Amino acid sequence: MTAVPLSILDLAPVPSGSDAGSALRNSIDLARRAESFGYNRYWVAEHHFTDGVASAAPAVLIGLIAAATDRIRVGSGAVQVGHQTALSIVESFGLLDAVFPGRLDLGLGRSGQRRTEALAAIGGAAKPRQAPRTESRVVDGLLIPPPFDFTSIVASPRWSLQADLQQQPGAQSPDFAEVVDDIRALTAGTYARDGIDVHVTPGEGAKTELWILGSSAGQSAQVAGERGLPFAANYHVSPATVLEAVGHYRSAFRPSEVLDRPYVLVSADVVVAPTTSEARELATPYGHWVHSIRSGRGAIPFPTPAEARATPLTAQQQALVQDRLDTQFVGTPAEVAEHLSILRAATDADELLVTTITHDHADRVRSFELLARHWFV
């Protein structure tokens, strides 16, 4: 099987004992190295209210990374549109494209709508759903675990307060499809309302590549397909629903001026080291880190393996993160590449996006380098 392009998703993780400034400098350094290793894209995430992740403002970090690199595409994975207007997004990425023309990817994700839908489900306002799967299954060699229920996190008072702080008082998140259409129109210079046209500088005519990110067979996949846009599916965030997500996107796809056929990118969490045992050692804290997110606290600074072993997860805590542990690809370059090849085949992905978190920056750089050397042969 011919290797597909390989790209990187970076959360700018903050290791225990470190700080945000060091994490961001590490991300810039990793992007430089990723370019030399042969990676196709370097995307940064958007996360808020976490001690362990420093990528709170994607457009700012993208600008720093683009300035430090020459060729690699740089983008967002993803800008959460519920926190910003279409205009502010187009202007921010238009400014970046004006300085770094043709290198920018604008990945969009839903945010505010997810909370509304989850609260409706809790209150019984949502349509009845089928009972979720409780057993893992294997599809074409790929492990598909039972789905994780995020409603308890979204409905927590802490999450509600944080969501409120990300918007102006009284503001409501607009429909995702409308935001996507507004971004496309503002970029194309075709936006008009009530007979009045508006034009945006910078932003209009920008050569940014528009992507939609999604974790399920929901609106994101539908919007990406109907508008003929590339779609990024999150195996690393929601491994239980990746097949439904890409399937729904493909079934909804309509050719556009952007694509004549569907284009799917799929993400995975990986840790690569020279030996399997060393890779497993580096991945030891991963369960603790995921648990901090799923318990509603927000991502903690990534522990050292020794710190993780000193406070082992309880059986209940382990169960909360088991799906993520089971679907993290950990091992030698050949072992991880084999897992990625299975993921690619099962999803028929056109490109893969890998994310890696280790405590030491040098181990993270080495993980990406070892994988690239094996993959790009």
Side-chain angles (χ1 to χ4, degrees):
M1 180 182 294
T2 302
V4 298
L6 202 60
S7 296
I8 289 176
L9 173 65
D10 181 17
L11 280 63
V14 181
S16 64
S18 188
D19 56 28
S22 296
L24 294 168
R25 287 187 288 272
N26 286 342
S27 289
I28 295 168
D29 176 67
L30 177 58
R32 290 194 192 103
R33 294 169 183 262
E35 184 171 73
S36 69
F37 298 157
Y39 285 91
N40 190 38
R41 310 173 197 272
Y42 196 97
W43 284 3
V44 298
E46 178 182 342
H47 290 279
H48 304 277
F49 302 105
T50 67
D51 295 330
V53 172
S55 58
V60 177
L61 183 52
I62 287 167
L64 295 172
I65 290 172
T69 54
D70 297 315
R71 303 175 306 280
I72 194 169
R73 297 193 64 87
V74 188
S76 55
V79 169
Q80 301 299 332
V81 301
H83 309 152
Q84 301 182 52
T85 65
L87 174 63
S88 67
I89 294 170
V90 170
E91 288 181 330
S92 296
F93 278 77
L95 187 153
L96 291 169
D97 181 76
V99 180
F100 309 104
R103 291 183 57 202
L104 275 295
D105 295 334
L106 172 51
L108 303 176
R110 300 169 74 224
S111 52
Q113 281 182 268
R114 288 202 304 261
R115 177 172 181 264
T116 301
E117 293 164 358
L119 291 177
I122 293 170
K127 295 180 180 179
R129 297 182 301 172
Q130 290 183 336
R133 288 185 293 106
T134 58
E135 301 293 333
S136 296
R137 58 194 176 109
V138 175
V139 179
D140 295 330
L142 182 69
L143 176 64
I144 304 295
F148 176 77
D149 186 359
F150 289 91
T151 54
S152 60
I153 298 176
V154 175
S156 71
R158 177 179 294 277
W159 202 97
S160 180
L161 172 60
Q162 293 170 352
D164 288 344
L165 288 171
Q166 293 174 73
Q167 293 182 317
Q168 294 292 335
Q172 297 292 322
S173 297
D175 181 73
F176 181 66
E178 292 178 5
V179 177
V180 172
D181 289 341
D182 286 350
I183 288 173
R184 298 178 74 198
L186 288 166
T187 304
T190 60
Y191 187 94
R193 183 192 298 176
D194 300 327
I196 303 171
D197 62 312
V198 295
H199 299 276
V200 181
T201 302
E204 186 173 315
K207 302 303 181 184
T208 49
E209 192 170 290
L210 189 60
W211 285 75
I212 305 298
L213 279 73
S215 299
S216 67
Q219 190 184 24
S220 295
Q222 186 78 22
V223 167
E226 289 178 344
R227 285 151 182 79
L229 298 172
F231 181 64
N234 297 317
Y235 184 69
H236 84 282
V237 171
S238 184
T241 54
V242 66
L243 296 180
E244 288 84 356
V246 298
H248 189 61
Y249 163 68
R250 290 195 175 98
S251 65
F253 185 83
R254 301 292 181 270
S256 69
E257 72 281 1
V258 177
L259 295 173
D260 59 6
R261 57 175 295 275
Y263 191 95
V264 172
L265 176 150
V266 179
S267 64
D269 250 310
V270 310
V271 177
V272 183
T275 66
T276 304
S277 60
E278 183 179 356
R280 289 175 178 168
E281 171 73 0
L282 295 175
T284 301
Y286 184 69
H288 292 69
W289 185 78
V290 174
H291 180 265
S292 68
I293 299 170
R294 287 191 167 178
S295 62
R297 295 165 52 194
I300 58 173
F302 200 79
T304 65
E307 289 169 338
R309 283 195 297 271
T311 55
L313 296 177
T314 66
Q316 184 177 15
Q317 291 171 330
Q318 184 86 9
L320 193 68
V321 301
Q322 194 62 54
D323 63 322
R324 293 285 296 274
L325 295 175
D326 290 342
T327 55
Q328 186 187 33
F329 302 154
V330 179
T332 65
E335 289 169 339
V336 171
E338 176 63 22
H339 285 300
L340 289 172
S341 295
I342 292 171
L343 176 64
R344 182 263 172 116
T347 59
D348 195 23
D350 300 282
E351 187 171 343
L352 295 174
L353 182 77
V354 291
T355 184
T356 296
I357 301 181
T358 60
H359 181 270
D360 292 347
H361 177 59
D363 292 326
R364 195 160 73 114
V365 171
R366 184 183 60 170
S367 178
F368 285 118
E369 181 178 12
L370 289 172
L371 179 59
R373 286 182 177 177
H374 188 88
W375 192 260
F376 303 123
V377 293

